[in-house]
């Protein structure tokens, strides 16, 4: 019951320690302020999680039989939409000449994409719009397809594998970013944990090996992408501190460089920066004067929607991350933890109970997943797992239009249908039922 909570506590403690003792040093980092605030957040999450585990289950309001493991028709709709979206987007990229499938030019692809980029300017490309619209179906296809894989027809199994592997691979090649690969790694970890505890009632050695392999391969892939990105702009271990801001210092004597050398140690160190940069941003924002972004600053994309759709003055300018850029120089090209974003709307004190509520919801999803294999609970659990992993870095679940649309879709379906699936499946044999629900 408590494995996800144990992971949250361990992971965030490790992130804070890496920020202080890792290969990247932050001279301005107020370690004790950051550690104290993260401790408050973790206490709130723990209390919320324990309340969620103990809360009464939300059973169906009216008697109805659950006759299947997952909503087959809805899954088929999502699967078809994901395939169509992937095919159309890929065709659009190829037709426009912007598609790039050279594994050795990922760094150049990423660098070229940001030439002349300014916040909240310009129009969205057709490929970006298609990616945004079809991200939610792709997410549900991935999570449901993997979680209920052994119950799928053969053709749907093949389609699920194709979407799960090709989507992140192709869009990594096209954009040069590692986001899709990182997201897939987190989803795979969450699905493997949920499947093992739900269907096997334990974590098998084979699952541990699978997680280890995914972790090693994933970290290697991410490090290679970062290495190409650094090479494309002529950065290496011997000049990075001259080209970086004074607020960041790569320690070439750190154990990471002694173990892996400069070529692999640099991208691995940069990879740790995805956790620690946001915590350094938190350190700056904790010392800033109070600001308020009118409940429209929890992410950059929320501010863009408010500005472009409703004509509201760009709320991003009233957020802590933006103020940190103006006052401390840790701005738009740096990362800020999810807590700084939420504090822009709810204050730092008000953000603490909000994450207690997050812990409550996370626990409810986990309990409904392992007790009933509820498809809507497992989807929200996996999505929140992505948000949990990225908490020290940024507000990942709301940082792009596609992520926001996926979050809204998942929450709506969860609230609308979860009660219906919070019951055992009515199957013809006890043996089949035992596969899903413990005695």
């Amino acid at each position: 019951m408590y494995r996800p909570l144990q992971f949250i506590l361990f992971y965030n403690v490790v992130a804070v320690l890496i920020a202080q003792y890792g290969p990247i040093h932050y001279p301005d980092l107020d370690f004790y302020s950051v550690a104290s605030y993260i401790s408050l957040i973790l206490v709130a999450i723990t209390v919320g999680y324990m309340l969620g585990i103990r809360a009464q289950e939300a059973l169906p309001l009216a008697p109805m039989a659950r006759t299947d493991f997952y909503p087959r028709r809805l899954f088929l709709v999502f699967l078809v939409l994901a395939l169509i979206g992937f095919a159309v987007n890929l065709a659009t990229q190829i037709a426009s000449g912007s598609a790039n499938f050279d594994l050795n030019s990922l760094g150049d692809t990423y660098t070229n994409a940001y030439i002349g980029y300014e916040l909240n300017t310009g129009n969205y490309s057709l490929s970006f719009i298609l990616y945004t619209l079809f991200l939610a179906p792709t997410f549900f296809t991935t999570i449901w397809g993997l979680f209920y894989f052994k119950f799928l027809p053969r053709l749907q199994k093949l389609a699920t594998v194709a979407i799960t592997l090709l989507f992140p691979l192709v869009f990594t090649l096209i954009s040069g970013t590692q986001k899709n690969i990182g997201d897939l790694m987190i989803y795979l970890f969450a699905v493997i944990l949920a499947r093992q505890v739900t269907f096997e009632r334990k974590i098998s050695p084979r699952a541990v090996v699978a997680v280890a392999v995914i972790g090693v391969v994933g970290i290697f892939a991410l490090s290679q992408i970062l290495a190409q990105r650094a090479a494309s702009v002529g950065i290496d271990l011997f000049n990075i501190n001259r080209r970086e801001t004074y607020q960041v210092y790569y320690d070439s004597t750190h154990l990471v460089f002694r173990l892996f050398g400069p070529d692999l140690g640099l991208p691995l160190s940069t990879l740790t920066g995805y956790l620690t940069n946001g915590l350094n941003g938190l350190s700056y924002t904790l010392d800033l004067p109070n600001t308020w972004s009118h409940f429209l600053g929890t992410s950059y994309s929320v501010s863009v929607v408010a500005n472009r759709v409703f004509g509201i003055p760009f709320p991003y300018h009233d957020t802590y991350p933006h103020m940190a850029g103006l006052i401390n120089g840790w701005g738009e090209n740096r990362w800020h933890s999810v807590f700084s974003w939420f504090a822009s709307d709810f204050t730092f004190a008000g953000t603490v109970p909000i994450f207690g509520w997050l812990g409550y919801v996370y626990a409810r999803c986990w309990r409904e997943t392992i007790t009933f294999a509820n498809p809507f609970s497992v989807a929200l659990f996996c999505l929140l797992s992505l948000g949990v992993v990225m908490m020290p870095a940024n507000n990942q679940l709301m940082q792009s239009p596609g992520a926001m649309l996926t979050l809204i879709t998942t929450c709506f379906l969860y609230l609308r249908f979860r009660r219906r699936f919070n019951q055992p499946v009515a199957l013809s044999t006890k043996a089949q039922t035992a596969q899903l629900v413990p005695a």
Side-chain angles (χ1 to χ4, degrees):
M1 280 290 186
Y2 293 95
R3 286 187 180 92
L5 175 62
Q6 293 165 354
F7 170 78
I8 293 174
L9 299 178
F10 174 78
Y11 177 79
N12 280 275
V13 169
V14 169
V16 173
L17 292 176
I18 292 176
Q20 178 70 5
Y21 302 107
I24 302 178
H25 290 179
Y26 302 95
D28 295 340
L29 176 70
D30 188 339
F31 174 75
Y32 295 104
S33 294
V34 170
S36 298
Y37 188 76
I38 295 297
S39 297
L40 289 175
I41 292 290
L42 294 181
V43 168
I45 290 175
T46 300
V47 172
Y49 189 96
M50 296 180 70
L51 291 174
I53 287 294
R54 291 174 169 81
Q56 184 177 358
E57 293 169 342
L59 300 176
L61 296 175
M64 61 178 68
R66 178 183 174 185
T67 59
D68 218 335
F69 292 100
Y70 62 98
R72 293 182 181 272
R73 291 182 180 177
L74 183 58
F75 173 73
L76 186 58
V77 169
F78 282 141
L79 179 60
V80 171
L81 287 176
L83 290 170
I84 293 174
F86 175 77
V88 172
N89 205 338
L90 181 60
T92 302
Q93 294 278 356
I94 294 174
S96 65
S98 58
N100 173 51
F101 302 107
D102 184 3
L103 287 171
N104 296 317
S105 62
L106 292 174
D108 293 333
T109 300
Y110 177 84
T111 302
N112 294 336
Y114 283 89
I115 294 177
Y117 172 76
E118 296 182 28
L119 285 174
N120 199 29
T121 59
N123 298 316
Y124 296 120
S125 65
L126 177 59
S127 61
F128 180 83
I129 294 173
L130 291 172
Y131 178 89
T132 298
L133 293 176
F134 289 101
L135 188 60
T138 302
F139 166 76
F140 277 96
T141 297
T142 300
I143 302 303
W144 285 354
L146 295 177
F147 188 75
Y148 300 104
F149 191 78
K150 64 180 179 180
F151 306 117
L152 298 180
R154 180 175 297 180
L155 189 59
Q156 292 184 18
K157 287 182 178 180
L158 294 174
T160 295
V161 171
I163 286 295
T164 300
L165 297 180
L166 291 178
F167 180 86
L169 174 61
V170 169
F171 285 101
T172 296
L173 292 172
I174 289 175
S175 65
T177 67
Q178 69 273 30
K179 178 188 182 309
N180 290 295
I181 292 179
D183 290 357
L184 178 61
M185 287 176 60
I186 296 169
Y187 291 150
L188 288 175
F189 292 153
V191 169
I192 289 173
L193 175 63
R195 277 179 56 90
Q196 287 290 299
V197 178
T198 301
F199 298 119
E200 306 294 338
R201 315 314 298 174
K202 63 179 181 180
I203 300 178
S204 66
R206 185 173 62 178
V208 174
V209 171
V211 168
V213 171
I214 293 170
V216 171
V217 173
I219 290 175
F220 177 78
L222 296 176
S223 65
Q224 291 305 303
I225 295 172
L226 291 173
Q228 287 195 36
R229 193 182 300 179
S232 70
V233 291
I235 290 179
D236 57 32
L237 178 60
F238 305 104
N239 64 18
I240 189 169
N241 288 324
R242 295 196 303 271
R243 301 182 62 170
E244 266 284 9
T245 172
Y246 74 93
Q247 297 157 310
V248 175
Y249 176 77
Y250 282 74
D251 181 8
S252 60
T253 65
H254 192 273
L255 180 63
V256 170
F257 292 104
R258 295 205 301 269
L259 287 177
F260 299 101
D263 293 336
L264 184 56
L266 180 61
L268 288 176
S269 299
T270 303
L271 197 58
T272 68
Y274 281 91
L275 294 179
T276 56
N277 280 353
L279 294 177
N280 191 52
L282 176 63
S283 176
Y284 285 124
T285 55
L286 283 170
D287 288 333
L288 292 177
N290 291 333
T291 187
W292 187 42
S293 48
H294 309 280
F295 300 117
L296 297 170
T298 46
S299 80
Y300 169 72
S301 289
V302 172
S303 295
V304 170
V305 171
N307 175 244
R308 292 200 171 190
V309 177
F310 299 103
I312 299 173
F314 198 26
Y316 172 78
H317 291 151
D318 296 318
T319 63
Y320 279 111
H322 180 69
M323 288 181 60
L326 295 177
I327 298 174
N328 304 110
W330 194 265
E332 297 161 356
N333 63 332
R334 300 293 177 180
W335 284 29
H336 287 265
S337 73
V338 66
F339 315 116
S340 299
W341 288 104
F342 270 79
S344 301
D345 281 345
F346 304 103
T347 75
F348 280 105
T351 297
V352 174
I354 288 177
F355 278 83
W357 174 76
L358 171 67
Y360 178 86
V361 175
Y362 197 53
R364 293 298 297 271
C365 292
W366 174 244
R367 183 180 176 185
E368 291 165 354
T369 295
I370 65 176
T371 303
F372 302 111
N374 188 317
F376 300 99
S377 299
V378 72
L380 187 55
F381 171 76
C382 291
L383 189 61
L384 291 179
S385 295
L386 174 63
V388 163
V389 170
M390 299 302 293
M391 280 196 312
N394 63 13
N395 187 4
Q396 185 72 197
L397 299 186
M398 302 173 67
Q399 202 61 26
S400 70
M404 283 201 310
L405 188 58
T406 301
L407 179 63
I408 292 171
T409 303
T410 306
C411 289
F412 170 77
L413 292 175
Y414 174 76
L415 294 172
R416 176 65 179 83
F417 297 111
R418 70 178 175 125
R419 284 182 176 270
R420 182 180 302 178
F421 286 86
N422 276 350
Q423 58 179 319
V425 178
L427 295 176
S428 58
T429 68
K430 292 183 179 179
Q432 287 177 302
T433 305
Q435 292 179 359
L436 180 62
V437 181

